[in-house]
Amino acid sequence: MADWADNIDAGDYGKSTRSFAGMQIDPLVFWPTALISLAVIVYSVLAPEQSAKLFGDVRAWSTNTFDWFLMSAGNLLLLFCVVVALSPLGKIRLGGKGAKPDYSRMSWFSMLFGAGMGIGLVFYGVSEPVSHFTSAMAGGPAAPLGGAAGNAGAARDLAMAATIFDWALHPWAIFAVAGLAMALFAYDFGMPFSMRSAFYPLIGKAAWGRTGDGIEILAVFATIFGLASSLGIGAQQAMAGVTFLYAIPSSPLSILALIVIMAFITFLSVRGGIDRGIRILSEANMVMAVVLVLFIMVTGPALALLGDLARNTFLYLWHLPALSNPVGREDQGFYRDWSVFYWAWWISWAPFVGTFMARISLGRTVREFIAGAMIAPSLLGIIWLTVFGDASIAAIVSGQAADLSSASLETQLFVLLKSLPLAQITSFAAVVLILVFFVTGWDSGTLVIDTMTSGGRTDTPLRQKVFWLLAVGGIGVVLLLSGGLNSLQAGAIATGLPLALILLAMCAGTLKGLLAIHRRQ
């Protein structure tokens, strides 16, 4: 085996935690993250217009200047996953040959999907295809691949291919790289559940020092802001559904009341742990999502949607090279405002989703992990986007929901459901779906932030998890009600650039780890 793997020395990492208010924290990660987050929140609340402009400029600078790098990084991460899965390294079992999975495939996949981007797919599943269809019909640089001006059929094809591109293989490959690295070094080398563990084969004990602390601070910061912004858009959409169903006006007080109720449910989930909390809710939500998709298909043009499923998959793969091209793009508006923006957002989510993936993936082979973390959710995403995207575009073209394209983002799902039978029932199911994704994302994010700020520990007291539950929720509430969600989102995206470099380096560390195990076996 390689020298680094013969005598792994984690130094004092994980042992140097300090007691604070009954919690065990890593002060070199906890305090810098807390102070930076607090400073951003105070600035956003006290100077909302100035902060919005600053963070907006940071976001624009990141995506416009480094668009080629972010897209290239996504391509390389996807290529890494495919090559590793198809190579002999894919046979390696996380945790050793005798390791057994803790969860069934159904439970495992449900939790992967729920923690990944379930709430985002519900929010954008109607709005993004509609937006791309509208821009493709108009043509120009804001349309995917230049659009197809005046041609509804070609515009639909481009809209669906572009939407699937933003939500399928690339983002899940980004998550899978982070998850595989942490799972490998935790289960096979006895290292902490931490991004820094993957750097041990590259820089040795420096991974436990200031360099590792910097990686961890960046990861926690990205997780807090990425998660809080997602909770914000989830709360907006859930409130839109409640308003649609019960005519309760959307106001700061009603949104706050909804979040307080969800906080209590999330607390019960956190208290129940992964087995009695996230797992049960994720399985229930997966069943509900499948039922809702089947209902849309049955009550809509079922045969057409089945045909669209095959067609959209083909169109996605056909346009994949052009859509993932990092240079010389003529559709700069679409490329930067959608794809590059998403890539930065997905990369900022990688520490959170990857850590949670690692926590629940003991006993999976590397090939099974990549298939479950990348291919399976991509297929489910294609199904979801096809059903809701094509149904929305068909409703607009036929005139059934002519106001769909002009509706606000958070209400578009309910405008679509209103045009179909049993709108009250399906809208209620959609609200429940959003809220459960809300809870599972909040819960899993809480567990991950807790682990990263406590020296990689997974046995912290309940009060410590509750602290992070309230902290993340509080950040989301304060900035949602003060109009600062754009600041949150821009803050998360700004971390995408350095995190892309970290993920690429993690590929090298992971490869060294896999090769060491392969040589040993």
Side-chain angles (χ1 to χ4, degrees):
M1 290 177 60
D3 292 340
W4 69 267
D6 286 334
N7 185 24
I8 295 173
D9 182 4
D12 292 329
Y13 180 71
K15 303 174 185 176
S16 58
T17 56
R18 298 288 185 268
S19 179
F20 171 73
M23 304 184 296
Q24 293 297 316
I25 66 169
D26 180 350
L28 296 178
V29 175
F30 180 92
W31 290 117
T33 305
L35 292 175
I36 293 171
S37 301
L38 180 62
V40 171
I41 294 166
V42 171
Y43 178 47
S44 298
V45 172
L46 296 182
E49 293 183 5
Q50 184 179 359
S51 64
K53 183 181 184 305
L54 173 63
F55 288 119
D57 290 344
V58 169
R59 167 186 163 178
W61 176 80
S62 298
T63 54
N64 293 346
T65 307
F66 296 98
D67 52 0
W68 62 271
F69 172 71
L70 289 167
M71 182 59 67
S72 298
N75 293 339
L76 290 172
L77 295 173
L78 174 59
L79 181 62
F80 174 80
C81 288
V82 172
V83 171
V84 168
L86 296 179
S87 74
L89 300 177
K91 297 179 181 179
I92 293 173
R93 188 171 297 277
L94 298 172
K97 291 184 177 180
K100 301 294 183 184
D102 294 325
Y103 305 100
S104 68
R105 282 195 175 91
M106 179 62 186
S107 296
W108 178 59
F109 173 64
S110 298
M111 288 189 285
L112 288 177
F113 188 77
M117 54 177 65
I119 197 168
L121 271 176
V122 176
F123 189 87
Y124 290 104
V126 171
S127 61
E128 187 170 346
V130 168
S131 178
H132 291 334
F133 174 72
T134 303
S135 62
M137 283 289 286
L145 301 180
N151 187 333
R156 187 219 72 91
D157 289 348
L158 284 173
M160 294 309 304
T163 301
I164 292 170
F165 173 72
D166 287 339
W167 292 86
L169 292 175
H170 278 81
W172 288 103
I174 291 168
F175 301 153
V177 165
L180 177 61
M182 285 184 271
L184 176 73
F185 289 103
Y187 296 133
D188 292 275
F189 294 98
M191 298 186 194
F193 279 105
S194 170
M195 298 273 287
R196 69 174 79 194
S197 294
F199 284 79
Y200 187 82
L202 304 177
I203 60 176
K205 289 191 289 185
W208 317 122
R210 295 294 180 265
T211 301
D213 291 338
I215 294 170
E216 212 75 6
I217 290 168
L218 182 65
V220 176
F221 183 76
T223 299
I224 290 174
F225 281 67
L227 182 60
S229 60
S230 293
L231 294 181
I233 65 172
Q236 287 179 320
Q237 190 178 35
M239 193 65 234
V242 171
T243 300
F244 174 81
L245 287 169
Y246 307 112
I248 299 175
S250 178
S251 65
L253 184 61
S254 60
I255 292 176
L256 179 61
L258 179 65
I259 293 176
V260 168
I261 294 172
M262 300 319 297
F264 178 71
I265 298 173
T266 306
F267 164 74
L268 296 178
S269 180
V270 168
R271 187 178 182 183
I274 293 177
D275 288 344
R276 292 181 296 148
I278 296 175
R279 179 183 63 82
I280 295 173
L281 289 173
S282 296
E283 289 176 354
N285 228 31
M286 184 61 68
V287 171
M288 188 171 298
V290 170
V291 170
L292 189 58
V293 165
L294 291 175
F295 175 83
I296 301 296
M297 292 185 69
V298 171
T299 57
L303 292 178
L305 288 174
L306 284 173
D308 287 344
L309 182 60
R311 179 174 178 80
N312 288 345
T313 304
F314 169 78
L315 289 168
Y316 162 57
L317 296 174
W318 178 260
H319 290 295
L320 184 59
L323 289 168
S324 57
N325 172 31
V327 294
R329 298 286 292 261
E330 296 181 1
D331 54 345
Q332 289 291 321
F334 161 77
Y335 175 54
R336 289 174 174 171
D337 293 342
W338 289 93
S339 294
V340 175
F341 163 77
Y342 271 133
W343 264 226
W345 201 9
W346 302 143
I347 290 171
S348 75
W349 268 63
F352 154 45
V353 182
T355 302
F356 185 72
M357 282 180 167
R359 286 279 298 271
I360 62 174
S361 296
L362 173 67
R364 306 288 174 186
T365 65
V366 170
R367 186 169 297 140
E368 183 182 12
F369 176 87
I370 292 175
M374 189 177 79
I375 298 176
S378 294
L379 292 175
L380 183 57
I382 291 172
I383 294 171
W384 182 275
L385 292 169
T386 293
V387 170
F388 284 89
D390 274 320
S392 301
I393 293 172
I396 292 173
V397 172
S398 67
Q400 278 184 287
D403 56 342
L404 184 58
S405 58
S406 60
S408 61
L409 292 181
E410 63 267 20
T411 61
Q412 285 180 324
L413 171 62
F414 302 102
V415 173
L416 170 66
L417 295 176
K418 187 179 179 181
S419 68
L420 299 171
L422 303 176
Q424 291 291 111
I425 296 175
T426 55
S427 296
F428 176 78
V431 170
V432 173
L433 192 69
I434 295 164
L435 293 178
V436 176
F437 276 136
F438 189 102
V439 169
T440 53
W442 198 352
D443 187 350
S444 55
T446 295
L447 295 178
V448 168
I449 296 171
D450 179 40
T451 298
M452 289 192 289
T453 56
S454 62
R457 297 181 60 167
T458 58
D459 59 347
T460 55
L462 177 62
R463 72 173 64 185
Q464 190 159 331
K465 297 178 178 65
V466 172
F467 169 81
W468 283 115
L469 184 154
L470 297 176
V472 172
I475 291 171
V477 168
V478 169
L479 293 182
L480 173 64
L481 299 183
S482 66
L485 269 184
N486 288 336
S487 299
L488 269 178
Q489 199 173 54
I493 289 166
T495 65
L497 189 60
L499 276 173
L501 292 169
I502 289 173
L503 288 175
L504 291 172
M506 288 176 75
C507 289
T510 302
L511 185 59
K512 292 190 72 172
L514 290 170
L515 289 172
I517 294 173
H518 183 65
R519 284 192 293 268
R520 180 177 62 195
Q521 293 179 352

